[in-house]
Amino acid sequence: PKARICTDASPWGLGCILIAQGEIIKYFTEPITQADCARFNAQLHHPTFISVWEVMPILIALRLWLARSPALARFQIKSDSFTALKSLEKGSGRSKPLNAVIREIALMEAQHGSSFVVTRHIPGVANSVPDALSRLSAPAPAMFPDALSGAAQDRSPPRDSSFWVTSEE
């Protein structure tokens, strides 16, 4: 893989960084929204849906960065969530909402013509920058990571009905 995507989620938000040639070049941080919760019939800030939230930044990152960087056609996805990574590898998860996100990623891979995701688990303590990004919306917000001082911030497209390509079923 030519680039690494490191992700994390908390009950309050999503965080992700894009690393190329050993440098963090892009990042995003997004709160979990009412629209996200409505999509999956979840309660805002409730940890029951953490596996869904852990896969969401992967989907967002691929939507943002694959289209802009066709040369980066293969990404190594790093996460501290075994559930997110195993679900990506298998192409399915244990819940309907998790499968909805996995289905979006699978469709992107099919449209691309090949798999562009390689997964790798990292311990939570080694995932400090994405973890801090996912907690910027928390009641006691994390500090903004100094490691991002030279990186460009991206914003997720609105996660409304136009964001989702596959059906809700």
Side-chain angles (χ1 to χ4, degrees):
K2 297 183 179 187
R4 289 179 290 160
I5 294 172
C6 300
T7 68
D8 197 40
S10 72
W12 301 277
L14 313 171
C16 186
I17 58 175
L18 174 64
I19 301 170
Q21 298 177 342
E23 298 289 325
I24 301 172
I25 59 171
K26 295 183 182 270
Y27 72 94
F28 69 82
T29 178
E30 300 280 337
I32 295 171
T33 67
Q34 290 290 354
D36 295 328
C37 291
R39 173 77 183 182
F40 301 115
N41 198 26
Q43 294 177 2
L44 193 58
H45 312 306
H46 197 279
T48 302
F49 283 79
I50 196 67
S51 63
V52 176
W53 308 142
E54 290 280 3
V55 176
M56 282 292 295
I58 297 168
L59 172 60
I60 293 167
L62 292 171
R63 288 260 169 88
L64 285 172
W65 300 327
L66 180 67
R68 295 183 196 165
S69 306
L72 303 176
R74 198 155 170 84
F75 293 94
Q76 181 183 66
I77 307 292
K78 295 174 93 174
S79 174
D80 58 9
S81 170
F82 279 115
T83 301
L85 297 175
K86 291 299 175 194
S87 297
L88 272 176
E89 290 170 4
K90 288 182 2 185
S92 67
R94 293 185 178 190
S95 71
K96 186 176 176 180
L98 181 57
N99 283 329
V101 181
I102 297 294
R103 190 169 46 245
E104 293 284 326
I105 295 169
L107 178 60
M108 289 177 67
E109 286 186 314
Q111 291 169 334
H112 186 262
S114 66
S115 174
F116 45 72
V117 173
V118 175
T119 62
R120 182 167 172 230
H121 181 262
I122 56 174
V125 296
N127 206 25
S128 60
V129 174
D131 181 72
L133 289 172
S134 76
R135 296 174 188 282
L136 291 177
S137 302
M143 296 289 294
F144 187 81
D146 290 338
L148 298 175
S149 63
Q153 182 176 8
D154 276 333
R155 299 224 182 266
S156 170
R159 292 184 300 277
D160 56 18
S161 60
S162 66
F163 179 85
W164 299 96
V165 179
T166 62
S167 70
E168 291 188 45
E169 311 269 325

